[in-house]
Amino acid sequence: MRIVDVTTTHLHAPDWPANQDATIRHPVAGRAALFVHVKTDEGIEGLGVCAPGARALIEGSLKEILLGQDPLWHEKLWDDMFWRVRGTGRKGLAFCAISGVDIALWDLKAKTFGVPLYRLLGPYTDTVPIYGSGGWTHFTEDELVREQVGYVERGIPRVKMKVAKNFGRAEAEDLRRLAAVRKAVGDEVEIYVDANNGYYAKQAIAMSKRFEQYDVRWFEEPVLADDIHGLAEISRATTIPVATGEHEYTKYGFKELISRGGADIVQPDVGRVGGVTEWLKVAHLAHAYNLPVAPHAYQLIHLHLACATPNLKVVEYLGQTEQGDRLWYTEFPEQKDGWWSPYPDRPGLGLELDPTAVRKYAR
């Protein structure tokens, strides 16, 4: 079997409101995704997904080194792509491009063997816990509470909200909003807070002391993702676990983050870290340090990877991503009472793009 083509489909639905967190300066309206199609001479096709900005790299740079190769040799193909982008970027869109192709290769591989991806990977379980994620800083307090309570009413006993509003300049408001959510959801629901890089280290330490009274279960990206020293200082200073990693790339980046004590909960993103191939290595690295994994975004892909991860903590379930997924795909498995399982009998990721959505939203 050989790769005969690599193409992309960019879908964009413009009429969706923009989201705001602590450090988004220029919110962009709409929902968008780039889908990667790896096609073979045996008619088997893999489907991947990544950031839309990676399109030019995939079609203009990675495609030519993939054509004619055996798609099952995922380690060789990953290495070829890694060195192909050596001069393009060691982080950012270059690795988003690799990630999208790699996800498609794993989807194709599982389809070749006729099994769901999680079964190909070697499952630890077939059902995983999720948390309801959102809590955007542009929400009014009433909107924030309504969203967070909405997750609980769907049976999800874990929620996440944003803090560090306006680059950390609204500390009192952060605390009022957290207090309102805790009061609304009750004492039995786990609350996670996400600062999206918005505080400074000393500020984050001070805020963490105040968050403790609300029984916050993790403090996500309290400072700039590259401030590993600051992350380690915060981790040592608070009883709340520090969760981070969504803006880290490759096993090499996570080696530095973990070995220097910057993460208590490791959050690799399959759409950035380097795809399934690299995500699994990061999860194993975290396991070697006895750290839990809680993947960021790309929830339909992470559902499969999470089932093969013994040190999994929980899977992020973003409301805005759910909205997009309902638009892009014909269907996908539904969560039930905060637990989620892949389709047990559909090969690969078990996902198909909706032809109507492709016709309507393709760019």
Side-chain angles (χ1 to χ4, degrees), residues 124-143:
Y124 175 79
T125 182
D126 61 2
T127 185
V128 294
I130 65 170
Y131 69 90
S133 182
W136 305 95
T137 59
H138 70 276
F139 286 172
T140 66
E141 188 174 301
D142 286 344
E143 289 171 334

Side-chain angles (χ1 to χ4, degrees), residues 313-339:
K313 179 175 178 62
V314 68
V315 174
E316 182 169 32
Y317 196 89
L318 271 158
Q320 67 162 23
T321 300
E322 180 187 23
Q323 293 170 339
D325 290 342
R326 293 197 186 282
L327 203 61
W328 313 140
Y329 300 112
T330 55
E331 60 181 336
F332 55 83
E334 302 288 343
Q335 73 87 24
K336 185 176 181 181
D337 295 329
W339 292 86

Side-chain angles (χ1 to χ4, degrees), residues 2-4 7 21 29 42 67 72 81 83 106 108 128 162 170 194 204 250 254 280 290 299 304 314 337 340 358:
R2 298 292 165 180
I3 297 172
V4 296
T7 63
D21 64 25
E42 294 187 10
L67 294 178
L72 302 186
M81 291 189 289
W83 289 106
W106 278 96
L108 189 157
V128 294
K162 306 296 187 180
D194 184 358
T250 78
F254 276 92
L280 293 170
N290 198 31
Q299 54 213 40
H304 286 266
V314 68
D337 295 329
W340 206 16
V358 172

Side-chain angles (χ1 to χ4, degrees), residues 266-296:
V266 181
Q267 296 183 296
D269 181 316
V270 71
R272 294 172 180 164
V273 72
V276 175
T277 299
E278 202 74 346
W279 192 99
L280 293 170
K281 292 174 182 177
V282 170
H284 295 159
L285 177 64
H287 205 179
Y289 279 84
N290 198 31
L291 294 176
V293 166
H296 169 262

Side-chain angles (χ1 to χ4, degrees), residues 177-249:
R177 289 161 68 88
L178 174 57
V181 170
R182 171 52 78 197
K183 181 179 179 180
V185 301
D187 295 336
E188 300 304 314
V189 172
E190 294 186 15
I191 297 178
Y192 313 139
V193 299
D194 184 358
N196 292 105
N197 307 271
Y199 294 129
Y200 294 101
K202 292 292 186 182
Q203 181 185 21
I205 290 169
M207 290 300 289
S208 71
K209 301 299 185 184
R210 303 175 80 176
F211 292 156
E212 287 174 358
Q213 66 182 301
Y214 300 106
D215 192 24
V216 168
R217 297 301 182 90
W218 83 43
F219 191 178
E220 184 170 335
E221 286 199 315
V223 294
L224 187 68
D226 294 313
D227 185 7
I228 297 177
H229 178 76
L231 289 165
E233 280 192 329
I234 298 162
S235 176
R236 288 191 294 267
T238 178
T239 61
I240 302 174
V242 170
T244 191
E246 70 179 77
H247 287 114
E248 195 52 82
Y249 298 81

